[in-house]
């Protein structure tokens, strides 16, 4: 796994992520401490950190996954708040492409069929159209 991630991210970033994992393990970090340490990382780094952590025989990968879910829940909350405040496009513009795609996927609003789309409420249809337009324009 380390070789694959190193090919994707490069050796320096992979080495940094491995050092981070070693620190988590050495210090016996729990979910809250891991969350505080990864909440400002980009989604790709968090995903790679998770994959690297699966090689350890600890709860670390579970804590990283739970922390990422918490990050995504916060992102959904901010999206919904921005929708209510009429500032959703401003909020979306602050996210990078990967974060928007992950948010759409996390909310179940990525690449829907017409049948699935028609089942959505008005607010979620708006989100879906916004995500689709954003992804289409940046890809």
């Amino acid at each position: 796994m380390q070789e694959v991630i190193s090919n994707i991210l490069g050796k320096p970033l992979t080495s940094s992520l491995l050092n981070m994992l070693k620190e988590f393990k050495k210090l016996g970090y729990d979910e809250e401490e891991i969350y505080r340490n990864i909440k400002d990382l980009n989604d790709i780094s968090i995903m790679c950190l998770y994959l690297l952590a699966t090689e350890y025989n600890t709860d670390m990968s579970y804590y990283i996954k739970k922390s990422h879910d918490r990050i995504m829940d916060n992102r959904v909350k901010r999206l919904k708040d921005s929708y209510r405040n009429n500032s959703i496009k401003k909020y979306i513009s602050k996210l990078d492409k990967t974060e928007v795609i992950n948010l759409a996927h996390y909310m179940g609003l990525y690449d829907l069929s017409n049948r699935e789309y028609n089942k959505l409420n008005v607010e979620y249809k708006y989100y879906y159209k916004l995500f689709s337009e954003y992804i289409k324009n940046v890809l």
Side-chain angles (χ1 to χ4, degrees):
M1 184 60 66
Q2 184 176 337
E3 174 103 12
V4 172
I5 291 173
S6 184
N7 288 337
I8 295 169
L9 298 179
K11 290 184 186 211
L13 184 52
T14 302
S15 179
S16 294
L17 293 176
L18 286 169
N19 288 335
M20 187 181 282
L21 287 173
K22 288 175 187 172
E23 181 181 310
F24 292 170
K25 185 177 179 184
K26 183 179 179 181
L27 297 173
Y29 277 8
D30 63 9
E31 183 180 336
E32 185 62 32
E33 291 162 326
I34 288 176
Y35 171 76
R36 280 196 308 270
N37 278 272
I38 71 168
K39 68 181 179 180
D40 295 324
L41 296 177
N42 66 46
D43 287 358
I44 292 172
S45 294
I46 295 171
M47 288 177 209
C48 290
L49 193 65
Y50 168 78
L51 292 172
L52 290 168
T54 60
E55 294 181 359
Y56 288 90
N57 192 18
T58 66
D59 291 335
M60 208 174 342
S61 58
Y62 172 77
Y63 292 154
I64 292 168
K65 171 69 171 106
K66 294 298 286 180
S67 295
H68 187 255
D69 287 346
R70 186 170 162 190
I71 291 166
M72 295 305 295
D73 289 342
N74 289 336
R75 211 174 278 163
V76 170
K77 182 186 179 311
R78 288 191 301 271
L79 177 79
K80 289 181 177 185
D81 289 346
S82 69
Y83 174 79
R84 285 187 280 284
N85 296 331
N86 258 348
S87 60
I88 194 164
K89 290 185 180 181
K90 182 179 178 183
Y91 174 70
I92 291 288
S93 70
K94 292 179 182 178
L95 302 175
D96 69 29
K97 174 179 65 173
T98 306
E99 290 172 332
V100 174
I101 292 170
N102 285 339
L103 182 58
H105 188 269
Y106 188 78
M107 294 178 71
L109 298 174
Y110 186 77
D111 199 26
L112 300 179
S113 68
N114 285 336
R115 185 176 177 199
E116 293 167 320
Y117 174 80
N118 289 331
K119 291 180 182 179
L120 299 175
N121 66 30
V122 173
E123 182 178 351
Y124 274 68
K125 284 180 180 177
Y126 179 80
Y127 297 148
Y128 181 76
K129 287 178 183 177
L130 184 71
F131 291 144
S132 297
E133 180 181 306
Y134 177 88
I135 292 167
K136 183 177 129 185
N137 288 329
V138 296
L139 294 179

